[in-house]
Amino acid sequence: MSIIKSTLRGHKILKYRPTAECVLYLPGEGDAYGGTIRDISGNTNHGTISGATWTRLPSGLWGLYFDGNDYVTIADSLSLRNFTSFSIETWLKTASVVGQCIYSTDSLLSNKYIYLYQLATGKLRIGYRDDDALEKLLDSNTAWNDNKYHHILVVRTSGASVEIFVDGVSDGSSAVGVGTGAFLQADDLKKIGTLWDLLSDYFTGYLALFRIHLTAVTPSNYAKERWIFGV
């Protein structure tokens, strides 16, 4: 659900109202120039910024710019553990791709992990391991690297399918070997902009409105929010 709110400067910013299944939402509201990007999902999964800088869109929305050596760390949290379905949602703008990690999480205890990656080809990849030793991979059909904002959504249902959406449209799906196990135990490492504990494959570009849902969601926020990003 979304609502419209006017800012003091006369801008109108689309405000996403998190549902109970949204366990991480980083809109950057009121955080600009600080070292923390606050989670307003109600779960206090705040992000600690390492190097990334604040940037403001013409619409008034604040986001983060990653210059290839930056990241945001999300602390371990009960709200981000032990789930089967998930949706990772964000807005991105990139212009230089050499293979870069958008988001990653890894359990030190169980070696279950998830990562969202942009390949050197410009295609997206979701990779994860849940209930066995086999890594599951799905790549988007389309490559993009055009210095424009795009809405990215990756959805994994409870063992039924995994699907990538770009700008509200399905851009790759699979129902083969997606796994049925739960993800994430204690001591998880969660990073935006790099690979968990390796601090490598850094993201270069702009990121805004990062969200994690512990359920499968539709790409409806693309149509509601696209005007904020001028697309």
Side-chain angles (χ1 to χ4, degrees):
M1 180 176 182
S2 299
I3 59 176
I4 300 290
K5 177 182 178 182
S6 296
T7 70
L8 294 177
R9 297 191 178 187
H11 297 289
K12 289 183 178 179
I13 302 299
L14 188 64
K15 300 284 292 177
Y16 172 78
R17 182 180 295 168
T19 64
E21 292 80 15
C22 181
V23 293
L24 176 65
Y25 176 39
L26 306 177
E29 182 182 38
D31 298 333
Y33 305 112
T36 299
I37 183 166
R38 290 176 298 164
D39 168 33
I40 66 167
S41 73
N43 294 283
T44 64
N45 292 315
H46 307 313
T48 301
I49 300 169
S50 298
T53 55
W54 290 100
T55 181
R56 195 176 193 186
L57 281 74
S59 63
L61 180 74
W62 286 97
L64 291 174
Y65 173 68
F66 297 75
D67 69 1
N69 195 36
D70 307 326
Y71 57 94
V72 173
T73 302
I74 311 297
D76 179 41
S77 165
L78 288 173
S79 63
L80 291 169
R81 296 185 198 167
N82 299 321
F83 55 89
T84 52
S85 299
F86 68 82
S87 301
I88 302 171
E89 182 178 13
T90 191
W91 284 85
L92 298 175
K93 181 171 77 169
T94 62
S96 177
V97 178
V98 293
Q100 52 189 7
C101 187
I102 299 163
Y103 172 75
S104 66
T105 181
D106 183 29
S107 173
L108 298 178
L109 298 182
S110 66
N111 199 26
K112 298 179 180 181
Y113 56 79
I114 303 170
Y115 61 87
L116 179 60
Y117 199 89
Q118 189 173 23
L119 302 171
T121 61
K123 293 185 177 183
L124 286 174
R125 169 171 290 176
I126 178 69
Y128 60 87
R129 182 163 69 182
D130 55 356
D131 55 355
D132 57 41
L134 298 177
E135 181 179 56
K136 287 84 172 176
L137 298 174
L138 176 66
D139 295 351
S140 66
N141 297 318
T142 305
W144 51 270
N145 184 28
D146 54 7
N147 203 31
K148 297 179 181 179
Y149 273 99
H150 294 274
H151 180 261
I152 306 302
L153 174 66
V154 176
V155 177
R156 193 257 202 177
T157 63
S158 299
S161 66
V162 60
E163 188 165 9
I164 297 172
F165 295 87
V166 178
D167 295 337
V169 178
S170 179
D171 199 49
S173 63
S174 176
V176 179
V178 298
T180 58
F183 292 95
L184 312 181
Q185 308 300 317
D187 299 321
D188 295 314
L189 299 167
K190 289 166 281 292
K191 304 284 187 183
I192 299 172
T194 188
L195 280 171
W196 45 79
D197 57 337
L198 301 179
L199 295 182
S200 63
D201 298 73
Y202 289 99
F203 175 70
T204 300
Y206 297 83
L207 181 146
L209 300 183
F210 187 88
R211 285 163 277 209
I212 294 179
H213 315 262
L214 297 192
T215 188
V217 303
T218 69
S220 61
N221 284 325
Y222 168 69
K224 298 173 183 177
E225 298 170 355
R226 58 181 297 184
W227 67 273
I228 299 176
F229 298 91
V231 298

